[in-house]
């Protein structure tokens, strides 16, 4: 789905200017890496023009968040630095604040949800932060961090709602223009809007002809309603694998910038996100988290809507291995390469071997077989079998089911 960004008759004076982004780039020299721009032949073929991937997943700490956190903390007064900083995050912002603080010699405390992935907790500690596990959801964790800031005088470092943070994120846009001067469209994931706002400020000031497209997960899309109403509004976030962009309300500062410098906002499905992550791993050999893959999901969903050359920003690569395993399986299913079937067999010797023989003929790889023998729905001489199969695409899935039907089996789910 796509939502055009309305243009107000009188633009709100921007809170962040090109000079701010340029200044941020000087601060980040020797701190943030200039991440590579990699071409994607597969996506280029879909779009009908060159597509490049801006690999912020290869940034220090694994995401773009270091840029904004470092610029924000660099701007603190001496007495503020002495009081330390505090942040709340389930992952990328936590690591960015932790490393930025360590590099600047500032004490940092990071609140993370109790259920935060262990690799992200460990990385945040290794970057030098004191980690406090508080709250079951991010809102509870955020409240605890803000209480800590009031009680101790520590400076709260917001993940997106501050001009210095946005200026730091905007340095990604400067790099894109230098690495791909011919770019026509930049696609970037959006949660609170800090990265899209920063890139938009830099790009529109230097190349107003370049189209900037934001992407949100359908289950957590606060910007379409906010843009329609002309102010940030809160929405209920449903379940999404793209936790890095699961934000229920746009930030006040990025919202006014996004309204002026982002041309449209698109939403993508969970199937598209998982397919995009799988494509990044298989075709580009890049580990990308679901939020970071959202621009690729938008390209896969409607490739004809983007004028090339296109740059898709892979904003991060911090994904828990256990979550990655589930997402890849989801992506394979969405691509027709993973098929789950339930059917009933006569409970006699050789019945399962006969079934597997049919699958062998159609070249379906059996990953797992489950049996159910005690169920009131089953007859006395029946057994229910659940099959997990690796297939070669939608056509092959259809061939498998047709072969089972021809052999006399009835698929029940």
């Amino acid at each position: 789905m796509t939502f055009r960004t309305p243009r107000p008759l009188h633009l709100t004076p921007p809170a962040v200017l090109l000079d701010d982004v340029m200044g941020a780039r000087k601060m980040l020299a020797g701190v943030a890496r200039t991440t590579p721009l990699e071409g994607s032949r597969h996506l280029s073929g879909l779009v009908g023009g060159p597509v490049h991937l801006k690999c912020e997943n290869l940034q220090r700490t694994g995401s773009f968040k270091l840029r904004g956190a470092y610029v924000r903390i660099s701007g603190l007064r001496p007495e503020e630095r002495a009081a330390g900083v505090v942040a709340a995050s389930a992952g990328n912002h936590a690591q960015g604040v932790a490393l930025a603080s360590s590099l600047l010699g500032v004490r940092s405390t990071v609140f993370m949800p109790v259920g935060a992935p262990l690799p992200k907790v460990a990385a945040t500690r290794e970057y030098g932060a004191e980690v406090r596990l508080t709250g079951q959801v991010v809102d509870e964790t955020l409240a605890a961090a803000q209480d800590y800031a009031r009680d101790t005088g520590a400076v709260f470092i917001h993940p997106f709602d501050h001009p210095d943070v946005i200026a730091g994120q905007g340095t990604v846009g400067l790099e894109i223009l230098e690495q791909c001067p011919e770019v026509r469209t930049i696609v970037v994931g959006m949660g609170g809007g800090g990265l899209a706002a920063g890139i938009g400020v830099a790009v529109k000031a230097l190349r107003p002809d370049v189209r900037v497209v934001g992407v949100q997960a359908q289950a957590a899309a606060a910007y379409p309603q906010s843009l329609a109403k002309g102010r940030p509004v809160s929405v209920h976030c449903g379940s999404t694998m793209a936790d890095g962009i699961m934000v229920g309300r746009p930030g006040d500062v990025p919202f006014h910038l996004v309204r002026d410098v982002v041309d449209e906002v698109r939403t993508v499905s969970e199937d598209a996100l998982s397919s995009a992550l799988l494509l990044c791993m298989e075709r580009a050999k890049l580990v990308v988290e679901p939020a970071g893959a959202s621009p690729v999901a938008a390209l896969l969903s409607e490739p004809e809507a983007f004028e090339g050359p296109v740059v898709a920003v892979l904003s991060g690569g911090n994904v828990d291995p256990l979550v990655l395993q589930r997402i890849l399986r989801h992506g394979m299913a969405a691509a027709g390469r993973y098929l789950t079937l339930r059917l009933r067999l006569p409970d006699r010797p050789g019945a399962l071997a006969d079934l597997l023989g049919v699958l062998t003929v159609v070249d379906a790889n059996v990953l797992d077989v489950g049996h159910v023998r005690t169920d009131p729905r089953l007859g006395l001489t029946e057994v229910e079998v659940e099959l997990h199969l690796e297939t070669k695409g939608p056509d092959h899935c259809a061939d498998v089911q047709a072969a089972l039907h021809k052999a006399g089996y009835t698929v029940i789910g």
Side-chain angles (χ1 to χ4, degrees), residues 233-250:
V233 297
S234 297
V235 300
H236 171 72
C237 288
S239 176
T240 176
M241 65 182 73
D243 57 344
I245 53 175
M246 188 171 66
V247 177
R249 182 186 184 278

Side-chain angles (χ1 to χ4, degrees), residues 84-88 97 107-111 145-146 148-149 154-158:
V85 300
V86 61
V97 168
R107 184 179 72 259
S108 63
T109 303
V110 175
F111 285 76
Q146 292 172 330
Y148 178 89
V155 179
F156 180 72
I157 306 299
H158 200 284

Side-chain angles (χ1 to χ4, degrees), residues 97-345:
V97 168
L99 179 57
S101 300
S102 294
L103 293 173
L104 292 165
V106 176
R107 184 179 72 259
S108 63
T109 303
V110 175
F111 285 76
M112 303 182 77
V114 172
L118 293 179
K120 295 184 179 182
V121 174
T124 303
R125 286 187 172 129
E126 289 173 9
Y127 287 129
E130 177 190 349
V131 174
R132 300 192 179 191
L133 299 177
T134 306
Q136 299 299 320
V137 296
V138 174
D139 286 346
E140 295 174 359
T141 307
L142 177 62
Q146 292 172 330
D147 288 343
Y148 178 89
R150 284 191 294 269
D151 294 342
T152 66
V155 179
F156 180 72
I157 306 299
H158 200 284
F160 51 81
D161 204 11
H162 193 280
D164 290 348
V165 172
I166 294 170
Q169 321 305 28
T171 59
V172 176
L174 298 179
E175 291 178 15
I176 290 172
L177 293 182
E178 292 171 358
Q179 294 170 316
C180 185
E182 67 278 15
V183 64
R184 296 294 302 164
T185 308
I186 296 174
V187 192
V188 54
M190 292 175 63
L195 178 61
I199 289 176
V201 166
V203 169
K204 291 296 186 179
L206 296 170
R207 287 280 307 281
D209 59 304
V210 174
R211 190 168 186 78
V212 179
V213 180
V215 182
Q216 294 205 287
Q218 286 178 0
Y223 263 95
Q225 290 188 38
S226 297
L227 290 168
K229 294 188 176 182
R231 58 182 174 80
V233 297
S234 297
V235 300
H236 171 72
C237 288
S239 176
T240 176
M241 65 182 73
D243 57 344
I245 53 175
M246 188 171 66
V247 177
R249 182 186 184 278
D252 292 325
V253 178
F255 172 79
H256 292 290
L257 294 168
V258 165
R259 185 182 60 186
D260 296 344
V261 300
V262 172
D263 294 282
E264 65 175 304
V265 176
R266 290 177 167 262
T267 62
V268 292
S269 68
E270 297 298 292
D271 282 353
L273 287 166
S274 59
S275 296
L277 188 146
L278 183 62
L279 183 145
C280 287
M281 290 196 67
E282 287 194 324
R283 298 299 183 96
K285 316 306 178 190
L286 293 168
V287 176
V288 183
E289 63 192 83
S294 58
V296 175
L299 294 176
L300 292 176
S301 299
E302 197 175 348
E304 67 279 3
F306 300 89
E307 180 185 359
V310 176
V311 173
V313 181
L314 307 182
S315 58
N318 293 316
V319 57
D320 180 45
L322 295 176
V323 175
L324 179 61
Q325 184 180 34
R326 294 197 297 269
I327 294 171
L328 289 178
R329 177 173 287 189
H330 186 96
M332 290 178 69
R337 292 169 52 193
Y338 187 87
L339 181 62
T340 299
L341 299 172
R342 286 189 301 115
L343 40 81
R344 291 176 184 172
L345 306 178

Side-chain angles (χ1 to χ4, degrees), residues 354-378:
D354 292 342
L355 171 62
L356 296 179
V358 174
L359 297 173
T360 299
V361 171
V362 290
D363 200 23
N365 185 31
V366 180
L367 300 176
D368 190 29
V369 180
H371 291 79
V372 176
R373 281 191 168 88
T374 55
D375 191 301
R377 296 171 301 170
L378 296 174

